[in-house]
Amino acid sequence: MDPLGIKGTYLFNPRVHGDQRGSFHEWFRDDRLREHLGHGLNLAQANCSVSARGVLRGVHFADVPPGQAKYVTCLRGAILDVVVDLRVGSPTFAQWEGVRLDEESRACLYVAEGVGHAFMALSDDTMVVYLCSEPYAPGREHGVHPLDPELGIEWPAGIEPALSAKDAQAPTLEEAHDAGLLPTYQDCLDHYTKLGHPR
């Protein structure tokens, strides 16, 4: 697993074994995750979404603690997967990083609690699956508008973004900050320590 520029995010490129029959790969290994995080992923929920080209989901995050860590991969098609540091006080606060996940590379992305997550489908009938450390809890779930100019996420040119009504009405980063919705970096660090993650 390779760390990205935002603390708590990792990219995993599995070895894909292929022959005339098809392919096989291990897309999740708890022991390898533990090597990097100091703890495993508490598997509480598994999600699957199918999206048309241009569908943009996120930027989503949950209250910390307990937050919701995610382990994401794209089984069919391709996505631009984006992580956003929403942790107030973090050295990389308000910064984002994007990686392509697709059916060829079979790459996977780990997103720690408190880090915002979003993705855009780059092809029709794109299927994304992700494992979650906590179940969905509407009262703890929040979003930041993915097209907020302050974030400045560079979504692919030439693709018209299609947002859900909920995501289209999400607050800007400044509005979410002023409303006290964003997690603090210190709360996240304390939570990571309780999980066993080295600081």
Side-chain angles (χ1 to χ4, degrees):
M1 296 183 75
D2 299 313
L4 299 182
I6 294 174
K7 181 180 175 66
T9 60
Y10 294 85
L11 185 65
F12 173 56
N13 288 290
R15 182 177 177 186
V16 179
H17 306 274
D19 59 24
Q20 70 277 6
R21 300 169 299 160
S23 68
F24 171 86
H25 70 284
E26 297 172 342
W27 74 278
F28 175 75
R29 285 281 300 266
D30 189 68
D31 57 342
R32 291 186 181 171
L33 202 62
R34 286 178 185 275
E35 288 176 14
H36 295 275
L37 301 182
H39 64 86
L41 180 70
N42 174 48
L43 179 55
Q45 183 172 319
N47 297 335
C48 176
S49 71
V50 179
S51 304
R53 185 175 188 264
V55 167
L56 175 51
R57 302 179 187 270
V59 176
H60 300 148
F61 66 101
D63 291 337
V64 180
Q68 189 186 61
K70 297 176 181 177
Y71 189 81
V72 188
T73 194
C74 182
L75 295 183
R76 185 172 62 233
I79 62 172
L80 175 64
D81 205 339
V82 171
V83 292
V84 182
D85 196 342
L86 300 176
R87 301 166 297 186
V88 177
S90 166
T92 54
F93 177 69
Q95 294 182 25
W96 65 274
E97 190 165 354
V99 295
R100 179 185 170 100
L101 304 182
D102 58 44
E103 63 186 31
E104 284 84 30
S105 71
R106 302 297 188 188
C108 306
L109 182 67
Y110 175 82
V111 185
E113 297 89 346
V115 177
H117 178 251
F119 67 84
M120 175 184 274
L122 305 180
S123 56
D124 282 329
D125 203 29
T126 289
M127 180 183 291
V128 175
V129 295
Y130 48 104
L131 310 178
C132 302
S133 65
E134 294 289 334
Y136 174 70
R140 296 190 291 103
E141 305 290 329
H142 307 286
V144 170
H145 202 291
L147 304 179
D148 180 4
E150 185 178 354
L151 292 179
I153 299 172
E154 296 175 8
W155 298 108
I159 302 179
E160 184 67 27
L163 281 66
S164 70
K166 182 178 178 181
D167 288 344
Q169 295 168 6
T172 64
L173 181 67
E174 182 178 6
E175 290 168 342
H177 180 274
D178 291 348
L181 297 177
L182 303 179
T184 69
Y185 191 51
Q186 188 59 55
D187 284 347
C188 291
L189 290 178
D190 292 344
H191 183 64
Y192 303 156
T193 298
K194 288 179 181 177
L195 292 173
H197 192 302
R199 286 187 181 240

